[in-house]
Amino acid sequence: MVRSAIDPIRPGASLILAWQIKHKHVLIIGGGFVAAGRLVNVLEADAKVTVVCPDTEELSETVRQHLLDHPETTRLVPRGFLDSDLTTPFGKHHHSSISYTSDDETAIHDNATNTPEPCDSAYSGSPPSTSTLAGSAFLAPAVDMVLSAIDDIPLSTHIYKQCKRLRIPVNIADVPPQCDFYFCSTHRDQSLQVAVSTSGKGPKLANLVRRHIADHLPNRVGEAIEQVGKLRAKLRKMAPGPEVGPKRMTWMSRVCESWRMEDLATLDEQSIALVLEGFKDDKVFTFEDIHTKIQELAQEQENTKADVAPESKIEDIVTLKQTPEKLGRLILVGAGPGDPELLTRKAARLLAEADLVVADRLIPMEVVDLAQGEVRIAPKKRAVIATESTMDIVTSDSASERSISSFSSSASSSDDIQNQLNEWCLQGLREGKTVVRLKQGDPYIFGRGAEEILYFREHGFDAEVVPGVSSALSAPLAAGVPLTHRGVADQVVITTAQAKGGVLPDNFPSYDAKRTVVVLMGVGKAQEISEKMQGAKLGWPADVPVVIVENAHCSNERTMDATLATLAQVVAEKKAVPPSVFVIGWAGAILRSVQ
């Protein structure tokens, strides 16, 4: 028998599905950082959620805020896990407190009467008895999914076994063998969801792959999908019969293949109607065709208006002036150094409320994912190709089609990105949206926050500003470096390696034995910083400690030790990457010398 050229089966994969849990009951056990992420995921999927967490444990701010914001679809049960939680419908949990008799038999005390009742296997300290559920197997499960996000391994194992007994899908955080399913690292842009799974083997690597994919998606892909969905719905309504199903599918495929993603994103009611005119004759109009038709229609309308009596024109103008215009709201929000738990409460709330979030590129997705509305992330810097006679700007769309021999980032590249971010914000504001401009660290510490305030004022919009924890202050703390210390350091200078034009500032700080210098955005200029500070003009000794803090307060945080003389060497050998902070001064030796 001759085998056909069919790809062989490659065992060991997970089956990746889009699980529809709308209006389903999800039980989350725990209230910390992991539980917060799980809560966001299931709420965005429109589930009903019960969170079980003892009131003796502090709920994360994210969990607390979402419980307050979604009273119809969430419930908090402030106690430890009970087996009966698996068979209790949403909203029917009894808020009991757990106490113990003298012989360590557990009892539940009713909050109203304080009368002990037999416990149905409350858990604390040692694994509970499994006889309760086994002896009352007639109780049907009232939970569709269980997510355990606690550090208690014996309790997690018990929960897993009880879920298996009731055939409830369960995920035990950080214990892959006790997971019926894994959470993928996801990127979401409106209806677009991209999921990356490593089958539980490398969650951090999944995050890195996810971010790489997100960085290379076409511009406005989420908007394009939304508009194509509207086009598809109108087409189905116009040609509903199953007999035209194949024609619909083929025609829609041709539309998607013929239009650029950015052009699909511009579809509106008028252009959708014009595109649909081609379906009957199996014709696909191009973006240029539609643009020409719209211009022709606009011209016809202008010609018609010219024939309208002057009184009618005046009446139309008065009507337009009487129509109130909805004004947008702009808030510059400091995202802090990267840990979602270090966001201010106000920042977390505004992220959840915003219609549009425009974010800096290096902000971790764990923070960006707190946004519930549309999210747009700063694009990569465009390549500047140096040739003997000209400088060619290459966008990410065209760079793959050309050979780039050498390139470097320039001030114009940063300015182009800044302009794009400003335009996105203006677009949302003019549409009456609440726009959050999410900025790394603090907006006013080398965040170009004041520049943006002035820009938006020129365009008629005032901005609110919400402070954030700057990495200039938090990164040294994460590395165990006190910026000030009596007798050692009584002055702190915060500076950047990327002044206007992408160069080191002219007024880089000179040497003072009791001065600590914090340098932001310095990885690419480590050699230049080292040489400049050791030069005769600034006079810094070669052996002054330098602590390099990479991705401060993030899961991939890394700290490296150097001196001014070895700074460039350590950056190169350790392959340090942005965002990194250099802490320079004798304060760097106070605590780290004994580690």
Side-chain angles (χ1 to χ4, degrees):
M1 179 179 177
V2 179
R3 289 181 58 87
S4 59
I6 298 176
D7 290 337
I9 299 297
R10 295 173 294 169
S14 297
L15 180 62
I16 298 180
L17 304 170
W19 199 334
Q20 300 294 317
I21 59 169
K22 187 174 184 178
H23 304 318
K24 301 287 187 179
H25 184 195
V26 177
L27 178 68
I28 297 178
I29 301 138
F33 177 74
V34 174
R38 301 289 193 256
L39 179 60
V40 169
N41 287 334
V42 295
L43 283 179
E44 289 192 343
D46 300 319
K48 294 184 291 187
V49 190
T50 299
V51 178
V52 174
C53 180
D55 52 11
T56 55
E57 297 181 14
E58 184 176 353
L59 289 173
S60 77
E61 184 57 36
T62 300
V63 172
R64 190 183 306 277
Q65 191 62 53
H66 283 309
L67 290 170
L68 292 173
D69 291 345
H70 303 277
E72 299 299 320
T73 55
T74 62
R75 293 290 187 274
L76 173 65
V77 181
R79 56 160 172 73
F81 171 77
L82 302 178
D83 290 348
S84 60
D85 291 335
L86 302 176
T87 54
T88 303
F90 177 76
K92 302 296 183 181
H93 284 78
H94 182 65
H95 291 203
S96 307
S97 59
I98 300 176
S99 62
Y100 299 89
T101 62
S102 57
D103 58 355
D104 288 337
E105 292 180 357
T106 309
I108 297 179
H109 291 266
D110 182 274
N111 289 339
T113 64
N114 204 35
T115 303
E117 301 174 1
C119 176
D120 68 296
S121 191
Y123 181 82
S124 180
S126 58
S129 168
T130 60
S131 60
T132 305
L133 277 179
S136 32
F138 62 92
L139 289 176
V143 173
D144 299 289
M145 177 188 293
V146 172
L147 308 175
S148 176
I150 55 179
D151 294 328
D152 191 327
I153 294 177
L155 175 55
S156 293
T157 299
H158 172 75
I159 293 170
Y160 171 76
K161 291 179 179 178
Q162 300 292 10
C163 289
K164 291 287 90 184
R165 187 170 286 111
L166 290 171
R167 299 183 178 180
I168 301 173
V170 60
N171 175 280
I172 306 296
D174 294 328
V175 188
Q178 295 183 355
C179 293
D180 290 322
F181 55 91
Y182 304 116
F183 276 85
C184 295
S185 179
T186 59
H187 167 76
R188 184 180 180 189
D189 183 355
Q190 300 190 65
S191 293
L192 172 68
Q193 289 181 270
V194 179
V196 178
S197 172
T198 59
S199 297
K201 295 180 180 178
K204 182 57 190 177
L205 292 179
N207 288 340
L208 296 175
V209 172
R210 182 275 319 275
R211 186 153 193 167
H212 178 81
I213 292 172
D215 288 344
H216 291 80
L217 289 172
N219 289 333
R220 304 183 69 180
V221 61
E223 293 174 81
I225 291 170
E226 292 297 317
Q227 301 313 114
V228 167
K230 295 176 183 177
L231 172 63
R232 187 166 177 261
K234 288 183 179 292
L235 174 61
R236 181 177 289 276
K237 188 174 181 179
M238 186 179 80
E243 67 279 359
V244 292
K247 180 182 177 181
R248 280 199 312 262
M249 294 175 62
T250 302
W251 185 83
M252 277 300 307
S253 296
R254 289 167 58 202
V255 171
C256 294
E257 292 167 359
S258 301
W259 286 50
R260 294 190 313 160
M261 200 71 68
E262 293 88 344
D263 296 336
L264 288 170
T266 65
L267 284 169
D268 55 19
E269 291 294 323
Q270 182 185 26
S271 54
I272 286 175
L274 292 172
V275 171
L276 288 172
E277 288 180 3
F279 177 74
K280 183 178 179 180
D281 298 326
D282 200 26
K283 179 176 176 57
V284 172
F285 294 120
T286 65
F287 172 75
E288 290 72 21
D289 293 335
I290 298 301
H291 184 65
T292 300
K293 284 178 177 288
I294 290 175
Q295 288 182 322
E296 291 173 352
L297 290 172
Q299 187 59 52
E300 290 177 8
Q301 290 176 351
E302 287 297 322
N303 295 337
T304 303
K305 287 180 181 178
D307 298 331
V308 177
E311 293 80 2
S312 299
K313 289 185 177 181
I314 293 172
E315 185 179 333
D316 291 341
I317 293 172
V318 171
T319 303
L320 285 173
K321 287 185 176 180
Q322 290 175 345
T323 303
E325 180 181 355
K326 182 183 177 183
L327 297 179
R329 177 190 179 197
L330 175 66
I331 313 104
L332 271 62
V333 174
D339 184 350
E341 296 294 318
L342 293 179
L343 282 170
T344 63
R345 294 178 62 180
K346 187 172 185 178
R349 176 176 60 80
L350 289 170
L351 275 174
E353 294 175 353
D355 302 310
L356 171 64
V357 174
V358 177
D360 286 343
R361 181 175 181 76
L362 292 177
I363 294 175
M365 291 307 296
E366 289 79 3
V367 174
V368 177
D369 285 345
L370 297 177
Q372 309 238 345
E374 179 185 357
V375 175
R376 298 187 187 179
I377 299 175
K380 285 186 176 180
K381 287 185 179 180
R382 296 189 299 176
V384 179
I385 303 176
T387 64
E388 292 183 0
S389 57
T390 62
M391 293 287 281
D392 295 326
I393 302 296
V394 176
T395 67
S396 58
D397 290 332
S398 59
S400 61
E401 300 172 5
R402 300 181 55 176
S403 174
I404 302 179
S405 56
S406 64
F407 63 92
S408 61
S409 299
S410 72
S412 63
S413 297
S414 298
D415 288 341
D416 286 337
I417 293 172
Q418 185 66 45
N419 291 338
Q420 175 69 81
L421 297 173
N422 290 344
E423 289 173 9
W424 283 344
C425 291
L426 273 182
Q427 179 186 354
L429 291 170
R430 287 168 177 162
E431 293 173 358
K433 294 180 177 179
T434 296
V435 179
V436 163
R437 175 69 178 92
L438 188 62
K439 304 186 70 63
Q440 195 166 17
D442 183 274
Y444 282 178
I445 299 183
F446 296 110
R448 301 183 71 166
E451 292 179 37
E452 294 185 17
I453 295 288
L454 294 173
Y455 173 86
F456 290 113
R457 281 181 182 174
E458 290 177 1
H459 290 80
F461 294 95
D462 284 322
E464 306 167 47
V465 183
V466 176
V469 177
S470 173
S471 61
L473 302 178
S474 68
L477 182 148
V481 178
L483 293 177
T484 62
H485 187 76
R486 285 193 298 175
V488 178
D490 54 20
Q491 185 181 93
V492 180
V493 176
I494 301 174
T495 187
T496 178
Q498 301 286 341
K500 191 170 184 178
V503 299
L504 286 180
D506 294 333
N507 59 344
F508 225 66
S510 59
Y511 177 65
D512 184 309
K514 293 187 177 182
R515 173 178 294 160
T516 304
V517 177
V518 180
V519 182
L520 305 179
M521 298 174 279
V523 168
K525 295 186 180 295
Q527 184 68 45
E528 189 176 350
I529 292 170
S530 176
E531 294 173 355
K532 187 179 184 75
M533 295 187 74
Q534 291 180 78
K537 182 179 179 181
L538 300 183
W540 285 79
D543 60 343
V544 169
V546 180
V547 180
I548 306 162
V549 190
E550 178 185 285
N551 291 308
H553 296 286
C554 296
S555 58
N556 56 341
E557 177 186 300
R558 193 164 57 130
T559 303
M560 295 153 271
D561 292 285
T563 63
L564 265 181
T566 64
L567 174 59
Q569 177 184 349
V570 171
V571 166
E573 290 180 351
K574 299 292 186 180
K575 294 182 172 60
V577 298
S580 291
V581 174
F582 297 164
V583 187
I584 305 171
W586 297 110
I590 293 172
L591 298 179
R592 295 186 63 80
S593 62
V594 298
Q595 291 180 349

